[in-house]
Amino acid sequence: AIMARLILPSAISTVILAADEDGDNAAAAELGTRAAERFAREGRAVRIARPPQGDGDFNDTLKKAAP
């Protein structure tokens, strides 16, 4: 929901959204899609970063790397 209200400075030309793939959360996926579309309409390059296969999200990736 916060992505819908996020106003980025005009100097931001690229947005990288980090996907969360742990579970089937259709509502979160829809919000991410709408945010990506909105940023693209604003003329920004949009990339979707996905966690490595087997990790549900980047927090899982970081926890695996921690000592």
Side-chain angles (χ1 to χ4, degrees):
I2 196 164
M3 284 294 220
R5 297 188 310 263
L6 184 63
I7 298 171
L8 297 176
S10 60
I12 304 292
S13 61
T14 302
V15 176
I16 301 172
L17 300 174
D20 184 344
E21 298 187 346
D22 56 351
D24 184 22
N25 190 342
E30 174 63 23
L31 289 173
T33 298
R34 286 193 300 190
E37 290 170 349
R38 189 189 108 211
F39 294 139
R41 277 193 311 273
E42 293 173 354
R44 304 173 202 278
V46 179
R47 294 181 43 211
I48 308 293
R50 300 197 183 284
Q53 188 171 5
D55 291 355
D57 58 29
F58 286 102
N59 186 49
D60 293 341
T61 307
L62 291 172
K63 288 193 295 189
K64 284 182 182 177

Coordinates of all heavy atoms in Angstrom, one line a residue:
A1 N 0.8 -1.2 0.0 CA 0.0 0.0 0.0 C 0.9 1.3 0.0 O 0.5 2.3 -0.6 CB -0.9 0.0 1.2
I2 N 2.0 1.2 0.6 CA 2.9 2.4 0.7 C 3.4 2.7 -0.7 O 3.7 3.9 -1.0 CB 4.0 2.2 1.7 CG1 4.6 3.6 2.0 CG2 5.1 1.2 1.3 CD1 5.4 3.6 3.3
M3 N 3.6 1.7 -1.5 CA 4.2 2.0 -2.9 C 3.2 2.9 -3.7 O 3.7 3.7 -4.5 CB 4.4 0.7 -3.7 CG 5.6 -0.1 -3.2 SD 7.1 0.8 -3.6 CE 8.1 -0.4 -4.2
A4 N 1.9 2.7 -3.4 CA 0.9 3.6 -4.2 C 1.1 5.0 -3.8 O 0.7 5.9 -4.6 CB -0.5 3.1 -3.9
R5 N 1.6 5.3 -2.6 CA 1.7 6.7 -2.1 C 3.1 7.3 -2.3 O 3.3 8.4 -2.0 CB 1.2 6.8 -0.7 CG -0.2 6.4 -0.5 CD -0.7 6.7 0.9 NE 0.2 6.2 1.9 CZ 0.0 5.0 2.6 NH1 -1.0 4.3 2.3 NH2 0.8 4.6 3.5
L6 N 4.0 6.4 -2.7 CA 5.4 6.8 -2.8 C 5.6 7.8 -3.9 O 5.3 7.6 -5.0 CB 6.3 5.6 -3.0 CG 7.8 5.8 -3.0 CD1 8.3 6.3 -1.6 CD2 8.5 4.5 -3.4
I7 N 6.2 9.0 -3.6 CA 6.5 10.0 -4.6 C 8.1 10.1 -4.6 O 8.7 10.4 -3.7 CB 5.9 11.3 -4.2 CG1 4.4 11.2 -4.1 CG2 6.4 12.4 -5.2 CD1 3.7 12.5 -3.6
L8 N 8.6 9.7 -5.8 CA 10.0 9.8 -6.0 C 10.5 11.1 -6.6 O 9.8 11.7 -7.4 CB 10.4 8.6 -7.0 CG 10.1 7.2 -6.5 CD1 10.5 6.2 -7.6 CD2 10.9 6.9 -5.2
P9 N 11.7 11.5 -6.2 CA 12.2 12.7 -6.8 C 12.4 12.5 -8.3 O 12.7 11.4 -8.7 CB 13.6 12.9 -6.1 CG 13.5 12.1 -4.9 CD 12.5 11.0 -5.2
S10 N 12.4 13.6 -9.1 CA 12.5 13.4 -10.5 C 13.9 13.0 -10.9 O 14.1 12.4 -12.0 CB 12.2 14.8 -11.2 OG 13.1 15.8 -10.7
A11 N 14.9 13.1 -10.0 CA 16.3 12.6 -10.3 C 16.4 11.1 -10.3 O 17.3 10.6 -10.9 CB 17.2 13.2 -9.3
I12 N 15.4 10.4 -9.8 CA 15.4 9.0 -9.8 C 14.9 8.5 -11.1 O 13.8 8.6 -11.5 CB 14.5 8.4 -8.7 CG1 14.9 8.9 -7.3 CG2 14.5 6.9 -8.7 CD1 16.2 8.5 -6.8
S13 N 15.9 7.9 -11.9 CA 15.5 7.4 -13.2 C 15.3 5.9 -13.3 O 14.7 5.4 -14.3 CB 16.6 7.9 -14.2 OG 17.8 7.3 -13.9
T14 N 15.8 5.2 -12.3 CA 15.7 3.7 -12.3 C 15.1 3.3 -11.0 O 15.6 3.7 -10.0 CB 17.0 3.0 -12.6 OG1 17.5 3.5 -13.9 CG2 16.9 1.5 -12.6
V15 N 14.2 2.4 -11.0 CA 13.6 1.8 -9.8 C 13.8 0.3 -9.9 O 13.5 -0.3 -10.9 CB 12.1 2.2 -9.7 CG1 11.4 1.5 -8.5 CG2 11.8 3.7 -9.7
I16 N 14.3 -0.2 -8.8 CA 14.4 -1.7 -8.7 C 13.5 -2.2 -7.6 O 13.7 -1.8 -6.4 CB 15.9 -2.1 -8.4 CG1 16.8 -1.5 -9.5 CG2 16.0 -3.6 -8.2 CD1 18.3 -1.7 -9.2
L17 N 12.6 -3.0 -7.9 CA 11.6 -3.5 -7.0 C 12.1 -4.9 -6.6 O 12.4 -5.8 -7.5 CB 10.2 -3.6 -7.5 CG 9.6 -2.2 -8.0 CD1 8.3 -2.5 -8.7 CD2 9.4 -1.4 -6.7
A18 N 12.2 -5.2 -5.3 CA 12.6 -6.6 -4.8 C 11.4 -7.4 -4.6 O 10.5 -7.2 -3.8 CB 13.4 -6.4 -3.5
A19 N 11.3 -8.5 -5.4 CA 10.1 -9.4 -5.3 C 10.2 -10.3 -4.1 O 11.3 -10.6 -3.7 CB 10.1 -10.3 -6.6
D20 N 9.1 -10.5 -3.5 CA 8.9 -11.4 -2.4 C 8.2 -12.7 -2.9 O 7.0 -12.6 -3.3 CB 8.1 -10.7 -1.3 CG 8.0 -11.6 0.0 OD1 8.3 -12.8 -0.1 OD2 7.7 -11.0 1.0
E21 N 8.9 -13.8 -2.9 CA 8.3 -15.0 -3.5 C 8.0 -16.1 -2.5 O 8.0 -17.3 -2.9 CB 9.2 -15.5 -4.7 CG 9.3 -14.4 -5.8 CD 10.0 -14.9 -7.0 OE1 10.7 -15.9 -6.9 OE2 9.9 -14.1 -8.0
D22 N 7.9 -15.8 -1.2 CA 7.6 -16.8 -0.3 C 6.1 -16.8 0.0 O 5.6 -16.0 0.7 CB 8.4 -16.7 1.0 CG 8.4 -15.4 1.7 OD1 7.8 -14.5 1.1 OD2 8.9 -15.3 2.8
G23 N 5.4 -17.7 -0.6 CA 4.0 -17.8 -0.5 C 3.3 -17.3 -1.7 O 3.9 -16.8 -2.6
D24 N 2.0 -17.6 -1.7 CA 1.2 -17.1 -2.8 C 0.4 -15.9 -2.4 O -0.7 -16.0 -1.8 CB 0.2 -18.3 -3.2 CG -0.6 -17.9 -4.4 OD1 -0.2 -17.0 -5.2 OD2 -1.7 -18.5 -4.6
N25 N 1.0 -14.7 -2.5 CA 0.3 -13.5 -2.1 C -0.1 -12.7 -3.3 O 0.7 -11.8 -3.7 CB 1.3 -12.7 -1.1 CG 0.6 -11.6 -0.5 OD1 -0.5 -11.1 -0.9 ND2 1.2 -11.1 0.6
A26 N -1.2 -13.0 -3.8 CA -1.7 -12.3 -5.0 C -1.8 -10.8 -4.8 O -1.6 -10.0 -5.8 CB -3.0 -12.9 -5.5
A27 N -2.3 -10.4 -3.7 CA -2.5 -9.0 -3.4 C -1.1 -8.2 -3.5 O -1.0 -7.2 -4.1 CB -3.1 -8.8 -2.1
A28 N -0.1 -8.8 -2.9 CA 1.2 -8.1 -2.9 C 1.8 -8.1 -4.3 O 2.4 -7.1 -4.8 CB 2.2 -8.9 -2.0
A29 N 1.6 -9.2 -5.1 CA 2.0 -9.2 -6.5 C 1.3 -8.2 -7.3 O 2.0 -7.5 -8.1 CB 1.8 -10.6 -7.1
E30 N 0.0 -8.0 -7.1 CA -0.7 -7.0 -7.8 C -0.2 -5.6 -7.5 O -0.1 -4.7 -8.4 CB -2.2 -7.1 -7.5 CG -3.1 -6.0 -8.1 CD -3.1 -6.0 -9.6 OE1 -2.8 -7.0 -10.2 OE2 -3.4 -4.9 -10.2
L31 N 0.1 -5.3 -6.2 CA 0.6 -4.0 -5.8 C 1.9 -3.8 -6.5 O 2.2 -2.6 -6.9 CB 0.7 -3.9 -4.3 CG -0.6 -3.8 -3.5 CD1 -0.4 -3.9 -2.0 CD2 -1.4 -2.5 -3.9
G32 N 2.8 -4.8 -6.5 CA 4.1 -4.6 -7.2 C 3.9 -4.3 -8.6 O 4.7 -3.5 -9.2
T33 N 3.0 -5.0 -9.3 CA 2.8 -4.8 -10.7 C 2.3 -3.4 -11.0 O 2.8 -2.7 -11.9 CB 1.7 -5.8 -11.3 OG1 2.3 -7.1 -11.1 CG2 1.4 -5.6 -12.7
R34 N 1.3 -2.9 -10.1 CA 0.8 -1.6 -10.3 C 1.9 -0.5 -10.1 O 2.0 0.5 -10.8 CB -0.4 -1.3 -9.4 CG -1.6 -2.0 -9.9 CD -2.8 -1.6 -9.2 NE -2.7 -1.9 -7.8 CZ -3.7 -1.8 -6.9 NH1 -4.9 -1.4 -7.3 NH2 -3.5 -2.0 -5.7
A35 N 2.8 -0.8 -9.1 CA 3.9 0.2 -8.8 C 4.8 0.2 -10.0 O 5.2 1.3 -10.4 CB 4.6 -0.2 -7.5
A36 N 5.2 -0.9 -10.5 CA 6.1 -1.0 -11.7 C 5.5 -0.2 -12.9 O 6.2 0.5 -13.5 CB 6.4 -2.4 -12.0
E37 N 4.2 -0.4 -13.1 CA 3.5 0.2 -14.2 C 3.5 1.8 -14.0 O 3.7 2.5 -14.9 CB 2.1 -0.3 -14.4 CG 2.1 -1.7 -14.9 CD 0.7 -2.4 -14.9 OE1 -0.2 -1.8 -14.2 OE2 0.6 -3.4 -15.5
R38 N 3.2 2.2 -12.8 CA 3.2 3.6 -12.5 C 4.6 4.2 -12.7 O 4.7 5.3 -13.3 CB 2.7 3.8 -11.1 CG 2.4 5.3 -10.8 CD 2.2 5.7 -9.4 NE 3.4 6.4 -8.9 CZ 3.8 6.3 -7.7 NH1 3.2 5.6 -6.8 NH2 4.9 7.0 -7.3
F39 N 5.6 3.6 -12.2 CA 6.9 4.2 -12.3 C 7.3 4.2 -13.8 O 8.0 5.2 -14.2 CB 7.9 3.4 -11.5 CG 7.7 3.4 -10.0 CD1 7.9 2.3 -9.2 CD2 7.4 4.6 -9.4 CE1 7.7 2.4 -7.8 CE2 7.2 4.7 -8.0 CZ 7.4 3.6 -7.2
A40 N 7.0 3.2 -14.6 CA 7.3 3.2 -16.0 C 6.5 4.4 -16.7 O 7.1 5.0 -17.6 CB 6.9 1.9 -16.6
R41 N 5.3 4.6 -16.3 CA 4.5 5.7 -16.9 C 5.1 7.0 -16.6 O 5.0 8.0 -17.4 CB 3.0 5.7 -16.4 CG 2.1 4.8 -17.1 CD 0.6 5.0 -16.8 NE 0.4 5.2 -15.3 CZ 0.1 4.2 -14.5 NH1 0.0 2.9 -15.0 NH2 -0.2 4.4 -13.3
E42 N 5.8 7.1 -15.5 CA 6.5 8.3 -15.1 C 7.8 8.5 -15.8 O 8.5 9.5 -15.6 CB 6.8 8.3 -13.6 CG 5.5 8.4 -12.7 CD 5.8 8.3 -11.3 OE1 6.9 8.0 -10.8 OE2 4.8 8.4 -10.5
G43 N 8.1 7.5 -16.7 CA 9.4 7.6 -17.5 C 10.6 7.0 -16.9 O 11.7 7.2 -17.3
R44 N 10.4 6.2 -15.8 CA 11.5 5.6 -15.1 C 11.7 4.2 -15.7 O 10.8 3.5 -16.0 CB 11.2 5.5 -13.6 CG 10.9 6.9 -13.0 CD 10.5 6.7 -11.6 NE 9.7 7.8 -11.1 CZ 10.3 9.0 -10.6 NH1 11.6 9.2 -10.7 NH2 9.5 9.9 -10.2
A45 N 13.0 3.8 -15.7 CA 13.3 2.4 -16.0 C 12.9 1.5 -14.7 O 13.2 2.0 -13.6 CB 14.8 2.2 -16.3
V46 N 12.3 0.4 -14.9 CA 11.9 -0.4 -13.8 C 12.5 -1.8 -14.0 O 12.4 -2.4 -15.1 CB 10.3 -0.5 -13.7 CG1 9.9 -1.4 -12.6 CG2 9.7 0.9 -13.6
R47 N 13.1 -2.3 -12.9 CA 13.6 -3.7 -12.9 C 13.0 -4.4 -11.7 O 12.8 -3.8 -10.7 CB 15.1 -3.7 -12.8 CG 15.8 -3.1 -14.0 CD 17.3 -3.1 -13.9 NE 17.9 -4.3 -13.4 CZ 19.0 -4.3 -12.7 NH1 19.7 -3.3 -12.4 NH2 19.4 -5.5 -12.2
I48 N 12.8 -5.7 -11.9 CA 12.3 -6.5 -10.8 C 13.4 -7.5 -10.4 O 13.9 -8.2 -11.2 CB 11.1 -7.4 -11.2 CG1 10.0 -6.5 -11.9 CG2 10.5 -8.2 -10.0 CD1 9.3 -5.5 -10.9
A49 N 13.9 -7.3 -9.2 CA 14.9 -8.2 -8.7 C 14.2 -9.4 -8.0 O 13.3 -9.2 -7.2 CB 15.8 -7.5 -7.7
R50 N 14.7 -10.6 -8.3 CA 14.1 -11.8 -7.7 C 15.2 -12.5 -6.9 O 16.3 -12.6 -7.3 CB 13.5 -12.7 -8.7 CG 12.4 -12.0 -9.6 CD 11.6 -13.0 -10.3 NE 10.6 -12.4 -11.2 CZ 9.5 -11.8 -10.7 NH1 9.2 -11.8 -9.4 NH2 8.7 -11.2 -11.5
P51 N 14.8 -13.1 -5.7 CA 15.7 -13.8 -4.9 C 16.2 -15.1 -5.6 O 15.5 -15.5 -6.5 CB 15.0 -14.1 -3.6 CG 13.5 -14.1 -4.0 CD 13.4 -13.1 -5.1
P52 N 17.4 -15.6 -5.3 CA 17.8 -16.8 -5.9 C 16.8 -17.9 -5.7 O 16.0 -18.0 -4.7 CB 19.1 -17.1 -5.1 CG 19.6 -15.8 -4.5 CD 18.3 -15.1 -4.2
Q53 N 16.8 -18.8 -6.7 CA 15.9 -20.0 -6.6 C 16.0 -20.7 -5.3 O 17.1 -21.0 -4.8 CB 16.1 -20.9 -7.8 CG 15.1 -22.0 -7.9 CD 15.3 -22.8 -9.2 OE1 16.2 -22.6 -9.9 NE2 14.3 -23.7 -9.4
G54 N 14.9 -21.0 -4.7 CA 14.9 -21.7 -3.4 C 14.8 -20.8 -2.2 O 14.5 -21.2 -1.1
D55 N 15.0 -19.5 -2.4 CA 14.8 -18.5 -1.4 C 13.5 -17.8 -1.6 O 13.2 -17.4 -2.7 CB 15.9 -17.4 -1.4 CG 17.3 -18.0 -1.0 OD1 17.3 -19.1 -0.5 OD2 18.3 -17.2 -1.0
G56 N 12.7 -17.7 -0.6 CA 11.4 -17.0 -0.8 C 11.5 -15.5 -0.9 O 10.7 -14.9 -1.6
D57 N 12.5 -14.9 -0.2 CA 12.7 -13.5 -0.4 C 14.2 -13.2 0.0 O 15.0 -14.1 0.3 CB 11.8 -12.7 0.6 CG 11.9 -13.1 2.0 OD1 13.0 -13.5 2.5 OD2 10.9 -13.0 2.7
F58 N 14.6 -11.9 -0.2 CA 16.0 -11.6 0.0 C 16.4 -11.7 1.5 O 17.6 -11.9 1.8 CB 16.3 -10.2 -0.5 CG 16.3 -10.2 -2.0 CD1 15.2 -9.7 -2.7 CD2 17.4 -10.7 -2.7 CE1 15.3 -9.7 -4.1 CE2 17.4 -10.7 -4.1 CZ 16.4 -10.2 -4.8
N59 N 15.5 -11.7 2.4 CA 15.8 -11.9 3.8 C 16.3 -13.3 4.0 O 17.3 -13.6 4.7 CB 14.6 -11.6 4.7 CG 15.0 -11.7 6.2 OD1 15.9 -11.2 6.6 ND2 14.2 -12.5 6.9
D60 N 15.7 -14.3 3.3 CA 16.2 -15.7 3.4 C 17.6 -15.8 2.8 O 18.4 -16.5 3.4 CB 15.3 -16.6 2.5 CG 13.9 -16.7 3.1 OD1 13.6 -16.4 4.3 OD2 13.0 -17.1 2.3
T61 N 17.9 -15.1 1.8 CA 19.2 -15.1 1.2 C 20.2 -14.5 2.1 O 21.3 -15.1 2.3 CB 19.2 -14.2 -0.1 OG1 18.2 -14.7 -1.0 CG2 20.6 -14.3 -0.8
L62 N 19.9 -13.4 2.8 CA 20.8 -12.8 3.8 C 21.0 -13.7 5.0 O 22.2 -13.8 5.5 CB 20.3 -11.4 4.2 CG 20.3 -10.3 3.1 CD1 19.5 -9.1 3.6 CD2 21.7 -10.0 2.7
K63 N 20.0 -14.3 5.4 CA 20.1 -15.2 6.6 C 21.1 -16.4 6.3 O 21.8 -16.8 7.1 CB 18.8 -15.7 7.1 CG 18.0 -14.6 7.8 CD 16.8 -15.2 8.5 CE 15.8 -15.8 7.6 NZ 14.5 -16.1 8.3
K64 N 21.0 -16.9 5.0 CA 21.9 -18.0 4.6 C 23.3 -17.6 4.6 O 24.2 -18.4 4.9 CB 21.5 -18.5 3.2 CG 20.3 -19.4 3.2 CD 20.1 -19.8 1.8 CE 18.8 -20.6 1.6 NZ 18.6 -21.0 0.2
A65 N 23.6 -16.3 4.3 CA 24.9 -15.8 4.2 C 25.5 -15.4 5.5 O 26.7 -15.2 5.6 CB 25.0 -14.6 3.2
A66 N 24.7 -15.2 6.5 CA 25.2 -14.8 7.8 C 26.0 -15.9 8.5 O 25.7 -17.1 8.4 CB 24.0 -14.4 8.7
P67 N 27.0 -15.5 9.3 CA 27.8 -16.5 10.0 C 27.1 -17.2 11.1 O 26.1 -16.7 11.6 CB 29.0 -15.7 10.5 CG 28.7 -14.3 10.4 CD 27.5 -14.2 9.4

